[in-house]
């Protein structure tokens, strides 16, 4: 299993899994620290289910646990890795690998090689502008590098599961990465021209080519321009 969403959704997720298999969940990967991906840890973590995540994710959840001890140690992964870890399950090989400072500082992608499925977590928001958590180690350079790494790994038949949005494929991801590169170039030029954060936020022309198709989600055009500007000035 990859990610467990908010805690309140655990019963619904269990019901769906039960419709697919009667077997217990042996391993649960967390792709990053945010509660919409790890909130269900306290419900799924058990003697039968082992949680796996990047080192930095456990560190982040440990800090959260110190502030909210009532959550209990079940929120913490039992197995962590610094760069990558591989699981072998009969015919299937499952590769989890860290991508540095992308959405956060603890992101992992999960690739199922036989089934040719890549779960990208929040390093990909299909059909909408991404949320890049600058306060928790994310930045636009790392975000683009993570997508470039994914493009090197997959082929045209790979099914991509984004952290948010509809399932996707390689060509869509490639177009998305090109969009980020273009916005990055536009905002870098604006910064070099001396524009302030406030001016970049209001400069609609910097993202106008993509606002209609990607700007209607949680991260609107003004927010994405601010995120790029703040990240590139770091």
């Amino acid at each position: 299993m990859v990610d467990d969403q908010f805690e309140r959704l655990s019963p619904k997720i269990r019901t769906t899994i039960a419709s697919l298999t009667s077997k217990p969940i042996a391993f649960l990967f967390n792709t990053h620290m945010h509660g919409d991906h790890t909130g269900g840890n306290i419900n799924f973590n058990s003697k039968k289910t082992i949680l796996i995540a990047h080192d930095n994710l456990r560190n982040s959840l440990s800090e959260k646990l110190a502030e909210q001890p009532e959550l209990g140690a079940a929120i913490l992964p039992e197995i962590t890795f610094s760069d990558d870890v591989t699981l072998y399950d009969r015919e299937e090989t499952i590769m989890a690998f860290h991508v540095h400072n992308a959405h956060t500082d603890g992101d992992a992608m999960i690739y199922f090689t036989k089934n040719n499925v890549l779960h990208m977590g929040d390093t990909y928001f299909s059909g909408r502008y991404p949320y890049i958590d600058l306060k928790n180690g994310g930045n636009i350079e790392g975000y683009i590098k993570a997508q470039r790494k994914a493009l090197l790994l997959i082929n045209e038949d790979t099914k991509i599961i984004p952290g948010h949005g509809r399932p996707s494929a390689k060509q869509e991801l490639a177009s998305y990465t090109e969009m980020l590169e273009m916005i990055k170039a536009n905002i870098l030029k604006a910064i070099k021209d001396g524009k302030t954060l406030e001016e970049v936020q209001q400069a609609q022309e910097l993202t106008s080519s993509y606002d209609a198709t990607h700007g209607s989600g949680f991260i609107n055009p003004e927010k994405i321009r601010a995120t790029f500007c703040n990240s590139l000035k770091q």
Side-chain angles (χ1 to χ4, degrees), residues 100-173:
H100 300 270
N101 299 102
H103 174 63
T104 67
D105 66 358
D107 299 303
M109 296 186 193
I110 318 298
Y111 184 46
F112 298 81
T113 61
K114 181 176 175 58
N115 284 282
N116 199 12
V117 175
L118 177 66
H119 196 306
M120 293 185 63
D122 280 5
T123 63
Y124 183 31
F125 283 60
S126 176
R128 63 191 75 177
Y129 286 140
Y131 168 50
I132 301 174
D133 190 347
L134 304 183
K135 293 181 179 179
N136 283 296
N139 69 63
I140 185 56
E141 298 282 7
Y143 203 91
I144 291 173
K145 286 180 181 178
Q147 296 195 350
R148 291 291 182 198
K149 185 171 183 177
L151 288 168
L152 288 173
L153 177 69
I154 62 178
N155 59 36
E156 300 298 334
D157 297 322
T158 304
K159 296 177 182 177
I160 302 174
I161 302 174
H164 297 269
R166 299 179 63 84
S168 190
K170 184 174 184 177
Q171 185 53 55
E172 292 171 307
L173 177 61

Side-chain angles (χ1 to χ4, degrees), residues 27 56 76 84 91 104 126 147 169 195 214 218 225 228 234:
F27 298 100
N56 290 342
L76 301 176
D84 55 70
E91 296 85 10
T104 67
S126 176
Q147 296 195 350
K195 290 190 181 294
H214 291 78
F218 168 65
R225 291 192 292 270
F228 270 67
Q234 287 180 346

Side-chain angles (χ1 to χ4, degrees), residues 9-64:
L9 297 177
S10 295
K12 184 179 291 187
I13 295 171
R14 286 188 184 281
T15 298
T16 300
I17 292 173
S19 71
L20 300 172
T21 179
S22 60
K23 296 180 180 179
I25 300 165
F27 298 100
L28 167 57
F29 286 97
N30 288 154
T31 61
H32 66 283
M33 59 168 289
H34 291 143
D36 58 334
H37 294 256
T38 62
N41 282 7
I42 58 176
N43 295 323
F44 284 96
N45 195 354
S46 68
K47 292 181 179 179
K48 293 182 178 179
T49 305
I50 297 173
L51 269 61
I52 307 174
H54 185 261
D55 296 336
N56 290 342
L57 184 150
R58 182 182 167 95
N59 293 339
S60 295
L61 292 186
S62 294
E63 292 174 3
K64 183 176 182 180

Side-chain angles (χ1 to χ4, degrees), residues 27 85-95 113:
F27 298 100
V85 64
T86 303
L87 277 64
Y88 299 92
D89 183 12
R90 298 184 183 180
E91 296 85 10
E92 182 60 279
T93 300
I94 305 163
M95 302 166 54
T113 61

